[in-house]
Amino acid sequence: MKNHIETIPVNEAFDSGDECPFCYLERMAEQKTVRYVLGPSASYMEPDVRGQTDKYGFCRDHLKMMYDYGNSLGSALIMQTYYTGLLEQLQMEIDSFEMPDKKPILGHWKGNEEHILRWAKEKQGSCFICKRLEYHMDRYFTTFFVMVKDPEFRQKVEQGKGFCMRHFIRLMEAAHEKLPASQREWFYTTVLQRMQENLIRVKGDIDWFVSMFDYRQAGKDWKNSRDAVSRGMEKLQGLHPADPPYRQDT
């Protein structure tokens, strides 16, 4: 299969040696999105981008990532207009709020507190970076299911390290819809085998890491276990705990 703009990042991910190629893609897309928001292009100053960040806001994890990135002025400008909209919406919720009765009527409290709770939960559960990241990941998964039709790419999957549990679930959920019946046997056989073998491998590295804290192991080779904890965490939840914060000068 010839490389083109859609397949290049997927091929790079499967060549990376990462515990999960989709984690690799997710990390790259996430950093690219943070850089898009706060980086040298100053997208946060564009009215259409600011309109989107005002609408969706940011989740807890991505606010921390923005803080670590280091563009404090950019983050402040984004939050400034977001807070303006947040306060305007809160005022409307307060104006329409009805205090619950002191006693329930037929087992129900009369009031509309559910409305303000729904609004607050929607605001808290929305994130501009998550939304863009999901767009990129949807494209990568779609591209993957096109690429597995190619024998050369299939070899990369067969020789890879499997996937983290989070992305394994997503692959399994999408396979029935994305793959024709003729390719499902290869897919399920390969993916399940790679998952089992590589979970066993990571478990072995964790076992060896733990054993090295036994005095009887003094002087022995750590083998591949020194980063077993971080790789084990990635395999379970698709995160890179050993990564330094992503900053604007990286």
Side-chain angles (χ1 to χ4, degrees):
M1 176 179 285
K2 291 184 178 180
N3 265 333
H4 56 79
I5 193 168
E6 295 289 338
T7 64
I8 287 173
V10 179
N11 266 320
E12 287 179 351
F14 277 84
D15 290 338
S16 69
D18 200 285
E19 287 292 345
C20 174
F22 287 102
C23 288
Y24 177 93
L25 288 164
E26 191 171 54
R27 175 169 52 179
M28 296 300 103
E30 188 173 49
Q31 292 177 356
K32 179 181 179 181
T33 304
V34 171
R35 183 176 174 83
Y36 169 77
V37 174
L38 288 173
S41 63
S43 296
Y44 57 88
M45 295 302 294
E46 298 175 9
D48 57 334
V49 175
R50 188 71 71 83
Q52 292 294 299
T53 59
D54 287 349
K55 178 180 179 180
Y56 294 108
F58 299 93
C59 68
R60 183 174 183 268
D61 291 341
H62 287 134
L63 281 174
K64 177 62 166 64
M65 201 169 177
M66 289 165 61
Y67 181 84
D68 289 338
Y69 186 73
N71 184 353
S72 296
L73 176 58
S75 292
L77 288 168
I78 290 171
M79 288 193 295
Q80 185 179 48
T81 54
Y82 180 79
Y83 264 94
T84 299
L86 184 71
L87 287 167
E88 289 174 355
Q89 293 172 31
L90 178 60
Q91 185 61 59
M92 289 189 290
E93 294 293 332
I94 291 171
D95 291 344
S96 63
F97 182 73
E98 296 178 9
M99 193 69 65
D101 291 337
K102 293 182 179 180
K103 294 182 179 180
I105 300 174
L106 299 177
H108 297 283
W109 296 98
K110 183 182 178 182
N112 67 344
E113 65 272 21
E114 294 89 353
H115 188 279
I116 196 168
L117 278 171
R118 185 167 57 251
W119 167 79
K121 288 177 180 178
E122 286 175 356
K123 299 300 291 185
Q124 194 71 7
S126 179
C127 176
F128 174 78
I129 293 177
C130 285
K131 188 175 178 65
R132 286 184 65 92
L133 184 58
E134 184 57 27
Y135 167 77
H136 288 299
M137 294 307 295
D138 276 343
R139 291 177 59 191
Y140 291 141
F141 276 99
T142 298
T143 301
F144 168 84
F145 282 109
V146 173
M147 292 174 70
V148 293
K149 300 172 184 176
D150 179 68
E152 185 177 345
F153 182 71
R154 285 191 182 195
Q155 283 190 328
K156 292 187 179 185
V157 179
E158 293 166 352
Q159 296 167 6
K161 295 181 178 179
F163 309 92
C164 72
M165 290 298 295
R166 185 160 57 87
H167 290 130
F168 166 69
I169 291 169
R170 185 162 179 174
L171 280 171
M172 294 293 284
E173 288 176 339
H176 188 79
E177 176 187 348
K178 300 287 187 180
L179 287 176
S182 60
Q183 295 176 4
R184 290 174 194 161
E185 182 177 356
W186 170 86
F187 175 83
Y188 290 122
T189 300
T190 301
V191 169
L192 291 173
Q193 181 181 15
R194 300 316 296 150
M195 286 299 297
Q196 184 179 43
E197 290 180 357
N198 284 283
L199 286 172
I200 290 171
R201 172 182 56 81
V202 173
K203 168 65 161 54
D205 290 341
I206 293 170
D207 289 343
W208 190 257
F209 178 87
V210 172
S211 75
M212 289 299 291
F213 289 84
D214 188 324
Y215 73 92
R216 291 169 294 185
Q217 295 285 81
K220 288 191 177 181
D221 185 2
W222 284 78
K223 299 182 180 180
N224 294 322
S225 72
R226 289 190 181 276
D227 62 346
V229 172
S230 61
R231 287 189 292 106
M233 290 179 176
E234 180 186 355
K235 212 66 169 174
L236 292 177
Q237 288 291 346
L239 72 161
H240 295 82
D243 278 1
Y246 180 60
R247 302 189 187 282
Q248 62 181 335
D249 56 351
T250 58

